[in-house]
């Protein structure tokens, strides 16, 4: 029988605070890389919101759905030759999807927030 021994993840200092004239180091739990949840985008769905001039798409952190909105201006910076109608904006989004998903991963912070705007 094989028994797995779990090592206690290290704590890492995140900031030093001064409390009552004494310096205190606040430490944060730092789970091993294999236990960190990553933001995934298994659903290729996206929709154009003309009233807000953005494309909406969704990612998942474990079972939590995270909504993202990327402004038209970001898409037009990635694809200056694209038109401004819904079809053209969605086509430009699809063309630059991987770059946009990298931007989404960059703004995402695990926590209670479930909607992010990339502008």
């Amino acid at each position: 029988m094989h028994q797995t021994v779990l090592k206690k993840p290290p704590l890492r200092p995140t900031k030093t605070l001064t409390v009552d004239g004494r310096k205190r180091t606040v430490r944060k739990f730092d789970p091993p890389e294999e236990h960190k949840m990553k933001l995934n985008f298994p659903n290729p769905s996206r929709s154009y919101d003309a009233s807000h001039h953005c494309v909406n798409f969704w990612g998942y952190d474990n079972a939590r759905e995270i909504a993202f909105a990327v402004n038209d201006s970001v898409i037009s910076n990635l694809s200056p030759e694209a038109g401004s109608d819904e079809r053209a904006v969605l086509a430009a989004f699809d063309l630059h999807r991987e770059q946009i998903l990298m931007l989404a991963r960059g703004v995402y912070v695990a926590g209670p927030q479930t909607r992010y705007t990339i502008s």
Side-chain angles (χ1 to χ4, degrees):
M1 181 165 122
H2 178 70
Q3 185 177 15
T4 304
V5 177
L6 298 176
K7 293 182 182 178
K8 187 175 180 182
L11 294 175
R12 62 179 164 89
T14 55
K15 74 168 88 164
T16 302
L17 301 174
T18 303
V19 179
D20 296 329
R22 297 172 56 182
K23 289 190 179 221
R24 303 278 184 194
T25 300
V26 177
R27 295 186 180 271
K28 181 179 176 183
F29 175 73
D30 192 13
E33 196 62 36
E34 64 270 13
H35 293 292
K36 290 181 183 177
M37 290 307 301
K38 303 233 187 289
L39 186 62
N40 293 305
F41 298 94
N43 184 351
S45 296
R46 79 284 187 270
S47 64
Y48 183 68
D49 183 342
S51 63
H52 292 102
H53 302 285
C54 65
V55 174
N56 296 305
F57 62 102
W58 299 266
Y60 297 87
D61 181 350
N62 201 3
R64 288 186 38 204
E65 183 176 79
I66 311 298
F68 290 91
V70 59
N71 289 345
D72 284 358
S73 60
V74 173
I75 295 171
S76 66
N77 284 340
L78 293 170
S79 204
E81 70 285 349
S84 59
D85 64 313
E86 178 178 350
R87 177 172 278 187
V89 173
L90 289 174
F93 178 92
D94 293 340
L95 182 65
H96 298 285
R97 183 176 185 83
E98 288 307 313
Q99 289 170 283
I100 293 168
L101 297 183
M102 285 176 47
L103 291 172
R105 286 183 182 104
V107 299
Y108 175 72
V109 177
Q113 185 174 341
T114 58
R115 180 153 182 86
Y116 292 84
T117 300
I118 303 168
S119 55

